[in-house]
Amino acid sequence: MKRNILITGGAGFIGSHVVRLFVNKYPDYHIVNLDKLTYAGNLANLKDIEDNPNYTFVKADIADLDEMRRIITEYKIDGIIHLAAESHVDRSIKDPFTFARTNVMGTLALLQAAKEYWESLPEKYEGKRFYHISTDEVYGALKLTNPEGIESPFTTAASSEHHHAYGAEFFLETTKYNPHSPYSASKASSDHFVRAYHDTYGMPTIVTNCSNNYGPFQFPEKLIPLFINNIRHRKPLPVYGKGENVRDWLYVVDHARAIDTIFHEGKTAETYNIGGFNEWKNIDIIKVVIKTVDRLLGNPEGYSDELITYVTDRLGHDMRYAIDSRKLQRELGWEPSLQFEEGIEKTVRWYLDNQAWMDNITSGDYEKYYDEMYSNR
């Protein structure tokens, strides 16, 4: 094989899209998918490529240093794309220690294992790359200075006429870190460790910070798949506060394309922000989802509006995230490929067409299956 690439968290939402892209696009790469298969990991996400000759799945915990040493050495890994992370803010508020263990200590174990193996080779770091995927939440929050929205200052091939910006400030690669939740604090810490391994040991690292993703195979605790499923079952649609919080949304396949581009063409020790140039208030995106689901289910327009239920706001709920990803656009030529309305249409159709996948997740049957599969190994 031309390269041996370790992708961590490859059974999760974003990770499965990255694994699929690399397995299909690079038949001369050996792609090793490492996942602990916690609640958000599901190998059903990769059924279509699981028998490919250039694909291997390994069940392991990134925080197990000895196991990371064994895997990186055994598979002669020369590139790591690190996506494995606990990522749900609400869960981090209830259980911050799990987030610190996985996101901080897990990243540190990966870095150390890679460092030891690569430094043992004659060529050392030549041709190696440690690519760490992070979040825009490490930057903190932006003020909502234009509540009604203004025309976005950004233009891309996928720009939507409905796209607005809700402030004049945007997260840049140079924005000071200011995490507000245990989740974002754990990711900020892991980012710092990655950069420290470059500055201290010369490890060839890259960090990217991405905005909210949406699309197929997302675990249904997240807003869009949760609401699609709740509309289907006529369950309440819980909206934090007044739904005024603003997020920048990116279709997950476009994120996978960005990761591919940056892994191969990005500059060592650089940071790249990845965003959709696509800000939406939560309440507005919810209304788009409701309208799309009702239309595709054959419901009359407005049929599911009554399901909207306003609930107590999340602790420390950041008001606005907005990414300026023009550096990535300018230096490496990447930009989003889909307008948001097209992406939402594709996303809703996928969940409605794959109800068995959703039911398997929401019932918990998939976890029992993996527990039994790996209990004797």
Side-chain angles (χ1 to χ4, degrees), residues 68-312:
M68 293 307 99
R69 286 170 170 148
R70 182 190 69 78
I71 290 166
I72 288 172
T73 303
E74 177 181 339
Y75 292 102
K76 298 180 171 58
I77 298 299
D78 56 64
I80 296 173
I81 301 175
H82 176 35
L83 293 119
E86 294 284 348
S87 66
H88 194 51
V89 174
D90 288 351
R91 288 178 184 263
S92 81
I93 292 170
K94 294 176 181 176
D95 180 17
F97 287 89
T98 294
F99 282 68
R101 181 183 184 277
T102 298
N103 297 353
V104 183
M105 298 307 295
T107 300
L108 184 56
L110 263 179
L111 286 163
Q112 183 65 20
K115 170 189 174 293
E116 292 173 1
Y117 174 62
W118 291 343
E119 288 188 346
S120 74
L121 301 174
E123 73 276 16
K124 298 192 181 298
Y125 288 128
E126 184 180 347
K128 310 300 189 294
R129 173 148 284 180
F130 189 106
Y131 178 180
H132 175 66
I133 284 82
S134 189
T135 173
D136 58 358
E137 296 188 41
V138 297
Y139 296 125
L142 297 169
K143 293 179 180 178
L144 185 69
T145 56
N146 301 306
E148 301 307 315
I150 57 173
E151 186 176 346
S152 171
F154 306 128
T155 57
T156 73
S159 290
S160 164
E161 62 185 42
H162 301 297
H163 173 43
H164 292 92
Y166 290 90
E169 285 187 282
F170 300 88
F171 293 139
L172 300 169
E173 287 82 359
T174 53
T175 299
K176 180 181 176 181
Y177 274 31
N178 188 24
H180 292 157
S181 71
Y183 161 60
S184 56
S186 69
K187 290 298 290 184
S189 177
S190 66
D191 295 3
H192 290 321
F193 269 110
V194 172
R195 294 189 178 103
Y197 264 65
H198 170 267
D199 294 347
T200 304
Y201 307 111
M203 180 180 283
T205 63
I206 285 183
V207 176
T208 56
N209 301 85
C210 191
S211 60
N212 280 33
N213 281 214
Y214 71 98
F217 298 111
Q218 188 170 26
F219 194 81
E221 66 184 356
K222 299 298 179 82
L223 188 149
I224 290 176
L226 173 68
F227 278 37
I228 293 170
N229 198 45
N230 283 11
I231 293 167
R232 176 184 154 215
H233 291 290
R234 302 295 297 164
K235 291 182 177 179
L237 307 177
V239 180
Y240 282 128
K242 297 179 180 179
E244 296 290 312
N245 302 72
V246 172
R247 298 294 181 262
D248 176 21
W249 292 88
L250 177 67
Y251 190 60
V252 64
V253 174
D254 281 333
H255 189 189
R257 286 177 46 247
I259 290 171
D260 176 24
T261 298
I262 293 164
F263 180 78
H264 288 97
E265 301 175 27
K267 296 178 183 177
T268 295
E270 285 287 347
T271 298
Y272 297 94
N273 280 347
I274 309 172
F277 301 104
N278 183 45
E279 291 180 59
W280 285 74
K281 288 183 183 179
N282 284 348
I283 191 63
D284 292 336
I285 200 172
I286 288 162
K287 289 177 180 177
V288 171
V289 170
I290 291 172
K291 187 175 181 179
T292 307
V293 175
D294 276 344
R295 173 169 52 79
L296 293 177
L297 288 178
N299 297 331
E301 187 169 346
Y303 179 69
S304 298
D305 289 348
E306 66 182 25
L307 298 176
I308 293 176
T309 306
Y310 293 96
V311 299
T312 303

